[in-house]
Amino acid sequence: MSDALSQPDMTRQDIKRAEVAIAQIRRRIMQTEVLAPFPGIVVERVVQVGEFVNRGAQVARLVDTEHREIRAQAPLSVAGWIREGMQVSVEHRDRESLSPVSYVVPVGDDRSRMFEVRIAANDPAWIVGSPVRIALPNSEPRELVAIPRDGLVLRGNNIYVMRVKSDNTVEKIAVETGIGLGGFVEVIGDINQGDRIITRGGERLQAGQVVSISDS
């Protein structure tokens, strides 16, 4: 009689052990699933299917191709002039554009005397990993006069712009150039805001020549 009573107890214990084993197997299966923390593209596999890895070990390199940013190292000497949201010049393959500073890492390196600046990379033509050049400010903002680069007339070592006077005659103004940004360049000389400047074909004009102004 005792054997008949103990048999169901042993069966229940076997069932419990089997249930525990099944739960452990399910847990191990769940641990084999690697979930991406954000949408992206796997560009490198560090381990292959079937390999054993330790907890926290790197298994792949995932790149977020939607929310891209530029990481630049800047000298600590310009830290006082850089702030989040400001527009900076980014040069990529001889093309310049403006992008906002998305984050300034407020930690400098003692050896390199550099800190990290992160800039939004909104241009879809920029491929992840492409090198770019960043122009960062080193002084307070200032107002300046800038014209399209095509408006500069180069004659030997001299630089001129052709300005249209109120009577629609052209005069030649000697200038010097300053900083450039995209298709514009700073001009230093007798040039003021609102002046009408010839931006194309100025090299073919002579001082005093009359021009017609087109609205197109």
Side-chain angles (χ1 to χ4, degrees):
M1 187 68 176
S2 59
D3 291 341
L5 293 175
S6 63
Q7 188 64 36
D9 292 337
M10 295 177 60
T11 303
R12 283 192 291 268
Q13 291 177 3
D14 290 340
I15 293 173
K16 288 182 179 180
R17 283 194 293 268
E19 290 175 345
V20 170
I22 292 172
Q24 291 177 342
I25 293 172
R26 287 176 176 173
R27 182 170 178 272
R28 291 176 181 176
I29 293 175
M30 291 179 61
Q31 289 178 335
T32 63
E33 296 180 357
V34 179
L35 302 179
F38 52 81
I41 298 176
V42 175
V43 297
E44 181 184 3
R45 289 186 177 183
V46 180
V47 297
Q48 300 300 321
V49 176
E51 291 187 43
F52 288 95
V53 295
N54 296 323
R55 184 184 298 273
Q58 183 181 0
V59 296
R61 179 176 169 231
L62 181 69
V63 175
D64 184 352
T65 57
E66 181 178 354
H67 303 93
R68 295 176 298 172
E69 64 181 6
I70 299 169
R71 293 186 177 182
Q73 296 297 316
L76 291 174
S77 58
V78 305
W81 318 115
I82 301 176
R83 59 187 180 275
E84 294 178 11
M86 73 181 303
Q87 300 282 334
V88 296
S89 174
V90 180
E91 180 181 348
H92 176 257
R93 294 182 179 178
D94 298 328
R95 178 186 173 189
E96 290 185 67
S97 60
L98 292 175
S99 292
V101 175
S102 56
Y103 191 69
V104 177
V105 181
V107 179
D109 185 89
D110 292 337
R111 292 175 295 179
S112 65
R113 308 296 294 172
M114 307 284 278
F115 69 103
E116 184 174 300
V117 179
R118 298 180 184 177
I119 302 162
N122 300 322
D123 193 329
W126 294 344
I127 298 177
V128 175
S130 299
V132 297
R133 291 173 60 89
I134 310 296
L136 299 175
N138 58 4
S139 63
E140 288 288 351
R142 61 182 177 88
E143 292 186 356
L144 52 83
V145 177
I147 67 171
R149 293 181 185 271
D150 292 340
L152 297 177
V153 178
L154 307 180
R155 297 284 173 78
N157 295 327
N158 300 318
I159 304 175
Y160 302 94
V161 297
M162 307 303 289
R163 178 169 60 188
V164 181
K165 299 193 296 184
S166 58
D167 60 356
N168 287 347
T169 60
V170 176
E171 61 180 338
K172 183 169 63 175
I173 308 295
V175 297
E176 296 180 357
T177 57
I179 62 174
L181 179 61
F184 290 83
V185 63
E186 177 188 7
V187 289
I188 304 168
D190 186 21
I191 297 293
N192 301 303
Q193 182 179 356
D195 286 349
R196 296 183 297 174
I197 303 298
I198 302 294
T199 57
R200 289 187 179 180
E203 66 278 357
R204 298 191 298 270
L205 298 175
Q206 299 295 327
Q209 186 174 345
V210 179
V211 296
S212 60
I213 307 300
S214 175
D215 295 332
S216 59

